[in-house]
Amino acid sequence: MPSSLQIFIAIFVIGILLRALAVLTNTPAERLATFVFSVSLPSTILVSLDRVPLASTAWKLPLAACLITLPIVVGSWQLARLLQLPRQTQGGFVLTTGSINSVYFAFPVILATFGEEGLTQAVLFDLGQTMLTLTVLYGLAVWHGTQSAAPRPTAIRFLSSPPLWALVCILFVKFSGHHLPPWLLEVLKPLHVTTTPLASFVLGLWISFSAIRRTARLTILGSAWRRYGCLD
């Protein structure tokens, strides 16, 4: 196991312990999560994609995300109906099995294990997943929810998302045959290196043992379906 991945796991465990001991609560976790989402993750996207050449077949990765996620969502919805779960629980089951936690788990692990080239592939794959999240999955969430949600604020949040803008900017720069200026890379690199430790720490802070105990059986079923259900 790479040393960087060992550090990721160690920081994750520390976050779990601090949450379990009530040393830190949701408020600092939310603030750290905002920093990761708005500052360090966009920096990682810019720095990592700037160094790695994009193949002409890069468009297949977002498409692959759609082809993987959509069958899982359909199968999860059918399974939830078969189990006769309450409506809101059905919605939660479909959304959790159809979503990929890229920011706080997949990206740091891939970066630690496969380096920046692997992270580039993951970011492009997540582009397709993000589009599904903001369209199909969001629609399912509203349909199963108890309150209506206006599409305009959601569209504004999506279009103003810092990781999305970072991805759009770096793809534009690379497809135009250029690179980010060296001075900008020097500014972004210190922020880039905070992504893995902070993301692992935030992920640990979000772990709630009481919630795990309440939903353990359904969580195990959802994990098994996500892992094995659509292999055929």
Side-chain angles (χ1 to χ4, degrees):
M1 180 183 296
S3 59
S4 54
L5 186 55
Q6 295 178 21
I7 295 173
F8 172 87
I9 295 174
I11 297 175
F12 170 67
V13 173
I14 291 173
I16 293 177
L17 292 176
L18 292 177
R19 170 65 184 267
L21 297 173
V23 176
L24 293 176
T25 58
N26 285 348
T27 300
E30 291 172 355
R31 291 174 179 172
L32 283 174
T34 300
F35 179 82
V36 171
F37 183 79
S38 301
V39 180
S40 63
L41 178 61
S43 301
T44 292
I45 292 173
L46 290 171
V47 171
S48 299
L49 268 69
D50 181 72
R51 299 173 180 174
V52 179
L54 294 180
S56 59
T57 57
W59 60 270
K60 294 182 180 180
L61 288 168
L63 178 61
C66 298
L67 296 178
I68 291 172
T69 299
L70 285 175
I72 291 178
V73 170
V74 173
S76 299
W77 181 70
Q78 294 175 339
L79 182 58
R81 288 173 57 87
L82 181 65
L83 294 173
Q84 298 182 341
L85 299 174
R87 183 176 180 80
Q88 291 184 353
T89 305
Q90 284 187 27
F93 183 79
V94 172
L95 292 175
T96 52
T97 54
S99 300
I100 299 175
N101 187 1
S102 299
V103 175
Y104 300 110
F105 185 80
F107 284 174
V109 170
I110 290 172
L111 179 61
T113 307
F114 300 105
E116 292 178 347
E117 184 172 357
L119 179 63
T120 300
Q121 307 300 317
V123 169
L124 292 174
F125 179 88
D126 191 59
L127 177 61
Q129 175 70 27
T130 300
M131 298 305 297
L132 285 178
T133 299
L134 271 297
T135 53
V136 176
L137 295 181
Y138 177 76
L140 287 172
V142 173
W143 186 47
H144 287 90
T146 57
Q147 299 177 349
S148 60
R152 181 179 175 84
T154 303
I156 292 175
R157 286 197 299 270
F158 171 64
L159 294 176
S160 61
S161 168
L164 176 64
W165 276 103
L167 180 60
V168 170
C169 289
I170 193 61
L171 289 179
F172 176 79
V173 169
K174 291 190 72 63
F175 283 125
S176 63
H178 298 85
H179 291 276
L180 296 176
W183 65 266
L184 180 57
L185 289 174
E186 291 301 316
V187 172
L188 294 174
K189 284 178 182 177
L191 299 171
H192 159 56
V193 298
T194 66
T195 300
T196 295
L198 287 182
S200 59
F201 189 57
V202 169
L203 185 62
L205 290 178
W206 283 120
I207 298 297
S208 172
F209 288 106
S210 60
I212 291 175
R213 286 193 295 268
R214 291 196 307 269
T215 62
R217 296 173 62 183
L218 195 57
T219 300
I220 293 172
L221 176 62
S223 299
W225 171 251
R226 175 80 197 188
R227 179 65 179 87
Y228 303 107
C230 291
L231 292 182
D232 294 338

